[in-house]
């Protein structure tokens, strides 16, 4: 009989670095790998059998419409993509570039049992590639964040990154929150018990929910259930969070899935968490069988040697209209994610000077910290602009953004690479969206901690606004 510790609330201290997390994150996203966005690889997408259209709901422009169009070949076609888009060679290149973190966008469909066929169709087989890729990253000493990027029911309208380009948003419902929690229990289990996942230090709950909190009912409750789900799995594994009030949950089995099943009955857990753990058990057994991990899941002494994962949310200021604060959901280590793209408008006037003035005076880190959302990293950003950017400007634009985001926990560029083809006008797309290409061009320094011009922001910083 072990005791489970479940905490209530932990005041966040400033400048925290958690287990497995680099003291400063210098990262890239592994975008378009396990969640494919056709705009980043337009020629490969056409070669696969996809289509291109201005409104992505009008043609085969996402993984789900592709799977529907090619039900008998979709798995094979995507296996080839997963095998070639991200390889050991890229891991070596990222390692040589000093990248210490990757954020791995994932769809709910990587846990295949969660897909309601035939209403929902997605390629199958991604988990084997995720395991292999994470194994390479672990061997290279690169830390990973598992990012639930494309949620069941779709979390944001009309976006390729959700896997289903639609205006019919169903994520913010009990049924789909439930599926997301089951996904969370499965991924937390793998993060601790599958050695390939050894460098995973964080799980992100929801990538880019709708920014108007009026349109995301129940999201605050979901945040709390997400954290409780991660911690419940960890408590079964014997990973406790210091400084938390303890509550006993009877649990006697040395069989992990049996123990998880019995923990699901613990009345200290919210009913939604209990239901998620219950439904996760058979899925975990299935995955363990598929990948020959039964012994790890059933033998005595399954307790993890690892530390608690960092739970990760988009920051409170991602949303408006009285959003829930994810800081209120924290039990133990938790980090916050903000995304910043100037190219879609609404941030600064479309001139080089306005861009630099804006980013050099960025106050998002302070605004978040004031609400307890700390540490904050910038989990997506890029070099694209609303104007034709000169090379001279891109040196400054890369430097200034790195300067600004490094005031917080660090940065994760979107993306590690993009296609280079006639359809992308050669390097026109990669120059502003591919870390490896921009590094080649010199916009990024070989050491990601450095800047081409350490004083890049000096002419733009407003003395009165920099500490606001
Ligand atoms: C995509 O969204 C549409 C509209 O909500 C829905 O009918 C369809 O089942 C969804 N497809 C998948 C694969 O989820
Ligand atoms: C462990 O428990 C699960 C039920 O959760 C059961 O299916 C499985 O057979 C058990 N394994 C062993 C080795 O007892
Ligand atoms: C490539 O050039 C064409 C013609 O100038 C332009 O319309 C298109 O947006 C460019 N594509 C990229 C990816 O830069
Ligand atoms: C900083 O100064 C510039 C130039 O005076 C001004 O346009 C901008 O609004 C100021 N920004 C902030 C955040 O105060």
């Amino acid at each position: 009989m072990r005791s489970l510790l479940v905490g209530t609330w932990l005041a966040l201290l400033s400048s925290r670095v958690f287990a497995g997390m680099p003291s400063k994150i210098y990262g890239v996203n592994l975008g378009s790998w396990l969640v494919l966005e056709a705009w980043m690889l337009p020629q490969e997408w056409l070669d696969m059998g996809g289509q291109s259209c201005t409104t992505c709901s009008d043609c085969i422009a996402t993984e789900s419409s592709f799977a529907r169009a090619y039900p008998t070949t979709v798995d094979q076609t995507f296996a080839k993509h997963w095998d070639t888009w991200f390889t050991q060679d890229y891991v070596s290149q990222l390692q040589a570039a000093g990248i210490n973190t990757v954020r791995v966008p994932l769809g709910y469909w990587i846990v295949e049992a969660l897909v309601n066929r035939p209403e929902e169709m997605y390629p199958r087989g991604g988990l084997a590639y995720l395991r292999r890729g994470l194994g390479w990253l672990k061997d290279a000493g690169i830390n990973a964040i598992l990012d639930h990027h494309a949620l069941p029911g779709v979390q944001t309208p009309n976006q390729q990154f959700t896997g289903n380009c639609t205006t019919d948003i169903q994520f913010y419902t009990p049924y789909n929150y439930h599926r997301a929690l089951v996904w969370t229990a499965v991924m937390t289990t793998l993060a601790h018990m599958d050695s390939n996942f050894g460098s995973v230090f964080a799980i992100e709950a929801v990538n880019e929910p709708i920014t108007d909190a009026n349109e995301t009912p129940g999201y605050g409750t979901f945040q709390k259930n997400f954290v409780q789900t991660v911690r419940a799995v960890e408590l079964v594994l014997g990973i406790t969070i210091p400084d938390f009030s303890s509550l006993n949950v009877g649990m006697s089995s040395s069989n992990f899935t049996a123990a998880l099943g019995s923990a699901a009955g613990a009345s200290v857990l919210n009913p939604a968490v209990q239901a998620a753990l219950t439904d996760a058990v058979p899925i975990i057994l299935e995955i363990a069988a598929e990948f020959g991990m039964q012994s790890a899941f059933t033998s005595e002494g399954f307790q993890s040697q690892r530390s608690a994962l960092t739970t990760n949310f988009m920051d409170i200021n991602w949303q408006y209209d009285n959003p829930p604060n994810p800081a209120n959901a924290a039990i133990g280590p938790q980090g916050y994610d903000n995304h910043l793209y100037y190219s879609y408008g609404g941030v600064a006037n479309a001139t080089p000077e306005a861009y630099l003035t804006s980013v050099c005076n960025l106050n998002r880190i302070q605004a978040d910290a004031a609400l307890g959302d700390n540490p904050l990293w910038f989990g997506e950003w890029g070099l694209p602009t609303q104007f034709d950017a000169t090379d001279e400007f891109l040196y400054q634009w890369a430097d200034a953004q790195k300067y600004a985001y490094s005031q917080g926990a660090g940065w994760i560029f979107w993306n590690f690479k993009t296609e280079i083809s006639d359809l992308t006008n050669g390097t026109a797309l990669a120059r502003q969206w591919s870390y490896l290409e921009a590094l080649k061009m010199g916009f990024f320094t070989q050491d990601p901690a450095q800047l081409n011009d350490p004083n890049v922001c000096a002419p733009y910083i407003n003395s009165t606004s920099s500490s606001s």
Side-chain angles (χ1 to χ4, degrees), residues 140-163:
I142 297 174
N143 304 290
I145 299 168
L146 302 179
D147 153 33
H148 203 174
H149 202 75
L151 281 293
V154 180
Q155 82 274 26
T156 300
N158 292 322
Q159 292 289 348
Q160 290 182 344
F161 70 70
T162 66

Side-chain angles (χ1 to χ4, degrees), residues 282-420:
I283 297 174
I284 290 166
L285 283 168
E286 206 176 288
I287 290 173
E290 181 180 354
F291 294 107
M293 297 187 292
Q294 293 98 322
S295 58
F297 287 74
T298 54
S299 64
E300 305 243 354
F302 51 76
Q303 279 147 294
S304 175
Q305 303 304 307
R306 305 197 56 224
S307 309
L309 294 168
T310 293
T311 49
N312 182 204
F313 295 95
M314 299 295 296
D315 61 334
I316 179 173
N317 287 314
W318 175 257
Q319 292 193 295
Y320 62 94
D321 272 343
N322 194 24
N325 190 345
N328 293 337
I331 303 172
Q334 182 160 293
Y336 304 87
D337 181 11
N338 187 259
H339 298 172
L340 185 48
Y341 292 110
Y342 282 72
S343 53
Y344 303 126
V347 187
N349 288 340
T351 67
E353 170 146 5
Y355 274 36
L356 293 170
T357 302
S358 165
V359 84
C360 290
N361 293 290
L362 197 68
N363 70 353
R364 292 188 179 197
I365 296 158
Q366 299 91 316
D368 271 7
L371 298 171
D373 285 16
N374 170 38
L376 174 72
W377 55 78
F378 286 79
E380 289 190 23
W381 59 286
L383 297 180
T385 47
Q386 296 154 291
F387 47 85
D388 288 334
T390 61
D391 282 1
E392 188 195 13
F393 175 70
L394 290 182
Y395 284 98
Q396 294 179 294
W397 189 219
D399 278 353
Q401 290 191 83
K402 284 164 64 181
Y403 166 86
Y405 308 150
S406 298
Q407 312 294 312
W411 48 258
I412 306 174
F413 189 78
W414 189 280
N415 189 39
F416 80 111
K417 73 162 184 181
T418 61
E419 181 179 284
I420 295 176

Side-chain angles (χ1 to χ4, degrees), residues 39 42 419 421-430 432-433:
W39 66 271
E419 181 179 284
S421 68
D422 287 349
L423 282 183
T424 64
N425 302 334
T427 57
L429 183 74
Q432 288 174 281
W433 286 103

Side-chain angles (χ1 to χ4, degrees), residues 64 68 108 119-122 154 164 166 168:
S64 61
R68 201 170 291 287
Y108 78 94
E119 293 79 24
E120 299 175 346
M121 296 284 278
Y122 281 98
V154 180
N164 185 358
T166 176
D168 183 6

Side-chain angles (χ1 to χ4, degrees), residues 223-246:
Q223 291 173 340
K224 292 183 172 146
N225 289 334
F226 172 84
V227 174
Q228 224 184 56
T229 299
V230 171
R231 299 304 175 220
V233 171
E234 292 184 330
L235 291 166
V236 172
L237 290 167
I239 302 167
T240 55
I241 305 289
D243 303 330
F244 276 80
S245 54
S246 69

Side-chain angles (χ1 to χ4, degrees), residues 23 55 105 111 146 195 214 257 267 272 314 362 392 408 456 461 466:
S23 59
T55 305
V111 178
L146 302 179
S195 62
N214 284 335
T257 42
S267 58
M314 299 295 296
L362 197 68
E392 188 195 13
V456 61
I461 289 176
S466 56

